[in-house]
């Protein structure tokens, strides 16, 4: 797990070129991040759960990384918590993006290693030496920007609550809820026992336009090929 300073996502990073964006690793062992050493008890991915619940054991390491990500900021957000907090939209957007690194299937990702959702596209991750836990170039990066994990109160405009909770006891299964799945296309491959993640704009109107444009291009291409053959 990493924190990416200044928010944004891999496909839509922070745009101010004058500001250095940093990857800060949450210094915890893999079994602590997963909540259990038992590989048969994996993390639950559940779109029916609104929020995300991670192991209690990484709370201290996450808070340490959080403080480093915010630097000298002395506001109420300098310590990660789940208490309602008055913030402006700009302050929310400037919070770190949480990057989950998931173990990738090496052979399936052999041709995807340069994709934006692969660790290979984030070289600064490999420069981090805070943890001895290695990451692979075939691993997958799932980004949770602050606009997804900070929820604004319906009744109190400008009041936000962090909805990633560090509450699961050791041995329990963590839950990646819908605020992690937002902004992603998720493929549940039941037959192979795998899950695939890819960033998505999640804009249906745009999807329809792109689909129709592609279909039109294919029609034009077939007509051109038919004209060549008829000649």
């Amino acid at each position: 797990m990493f924190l990416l300073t200044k928010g944004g996502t891999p496909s839509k990073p922070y745009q101010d070129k004058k500001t250095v964006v940093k990857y800060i690793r949450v210094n915890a062992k893999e079994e602590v991040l997963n909540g259990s050493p038992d590989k048969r008890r994996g993390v639950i991915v559940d779109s029916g759960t609104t929020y995300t619940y991670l192991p209690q054991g990484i709370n201290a390491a996450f808070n340490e990384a959080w403080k480093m990500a915010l630097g000298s900021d002395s506001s109420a957000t300098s310590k990660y918590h789940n208490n309602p907090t008055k913030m402006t939209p700009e302050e929310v957007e400037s919070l770190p993006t949480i990057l989950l690194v998931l173990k990738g299937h090496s052979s399936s990702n052999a041709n995807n290693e340069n994709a934006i959702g692969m660790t290979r596209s984030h070289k600064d991750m490999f420069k981090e030496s805070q943890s001895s836990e290695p990451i692979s170039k075939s691993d997958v990066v799932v980004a949770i920007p602050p606009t997804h994990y900070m929820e604004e109160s319906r009744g109190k405009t400008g009041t936000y609550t962090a909805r990633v909770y560090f509450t699961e006891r050791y041995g329990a299964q963590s839950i990646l809820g819908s605020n992690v799945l937002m902004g992603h296309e998720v493929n549940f491959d039941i037959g192979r026992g795998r899950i695939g993640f890819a960033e998505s704009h999640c804009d249906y109107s745009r999807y329809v336009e792109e689909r129709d444009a592609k279909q039109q291009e294919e029609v034009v291409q077939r007509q051109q090929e038919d004209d060549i053959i008829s000649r």
Side-chain angles (χ1 to χ4, degrees), residues 30 34 36-42 103:
E30 183 176 326
N34 291 333
S36 171
D38 188 348
K39 296 187 182 298
R40 295 171 298 177
R41 295 179 60 81
K103 185 174 182 179

Side-chain angles (χ1 to χ4, degrees), residues 25-223:
R25 191 163 189 171
V26 176
N27 190 19
K29 292 185 177 181
E30 183 176 326
E31 69 175 61
V32 179
L33 289 168
N34 291 333
S36 171
D38 188 348
K39 296 187 182 298
R40 295 171 298 177
R41 295 179 60 81
V43 174
I44 297 171
V45 179
D46 182 15
S47 61
T49 300
T50 306
Y51 308 133
T52 292
Y53 302 88
L54 300 179
Q56 295 174 348
I58 65 171
N59 188 29
F62 183 89
N63 248 304
E64 188 64 29
W66 182 267
K67 291 176 183 177
M68 292 175 64
L70 294 181
S72 59
D73 187 352
S74 59
S75 69
T77 57
S78 59
K79 185 179 188 303
Y80 183 85
H81 57 76
N82 302 107
N83 301 322
T85 305
K86 292 287 291 184
M87 301 180 71
T88 65
E90 292 75 20
E91 287 174 330
V92 170
E93 291 174 4
S94 70
L95 292 175
T97 291
I98 302 171
L99 300 178
L100 302 179
V101 179
L102 308 181
K103 185 174 182 179
H105 190 264
S106 56
S107 60
S108 298
N109 291 332
N111 297 322
N112 299 325
E113 288 187 349
N114 292 320
I116 193 65
M118 306 299 295
T119 52
R120 186 170 181 173
S121 296
H122 306 272
K123 296 180 180 179
D124 286 345
M125 284 187 173
F126 294 92
K127 296 178 183 179
E128 280 285 345
S129 59
Q130 296 179 13
S131 172
S132 59
E133 297 289 340
I135 58 175
S136 167
K137 291 182 179 180
S138 63
D139 288 344
V140 178
V141 178
V142 177
I144 318 170
T147 50
H148 290 183
Y149 67 77
M150 295 295 294
E151 181 182 53
E152 185 174 17
S153 169
R154 293 182 180 180
K156 296 181 179 179
T157 302
T159 298
Y160 294 82
T161 303
R163 297 301 190 182
V164 173
Y165 295 90
F166 298 93
T167 54
E168 302 308 289
R169 70 185 187 280
Y170 189 72
Q173 291 175 282
S174 299
I175 302 174
L176 303 183
S178 61
N179 59 350
V180 170
L181 306 186
M182 288 171 61
H184 293 90
E185 293 181 2
V186 184
N187 178 26
F188 292 86
D189 188 342
I190 305 300
R192 297 182 179 180
R194 303 176 193 166
I195 300 178
F197 288 86
E199 280 199 29
S200 171
H201 51 66
C202 295
D203 184 335
Y204 184 73
S205 297
R206 176 179 163 184
Y207 163 75
V208 171
E209 291 176 3
E210 291 176 347
R211 181 200 62 190
D212 292 347
K214 183 176 180 180
Q215 290 176 345
Q216 184 61 35
E217 288 177 3
E218 292 173 349
V219 170
V220 172
Q221 185 177 359
R222 284 196 297 268
Q223 289 176 342

Side-chain angles (χ1 to χ4, degrees), residues 15-27:
Q15 296 297 322
D16 186 356
K17 296 182 179 179
K18 297 180 181 179
T19 302
V20 178
V21 176
K22 298 180 180 179
Y23 290 80
I24 299 174
R25 191 163 189 171
V26 176
N27 190 19

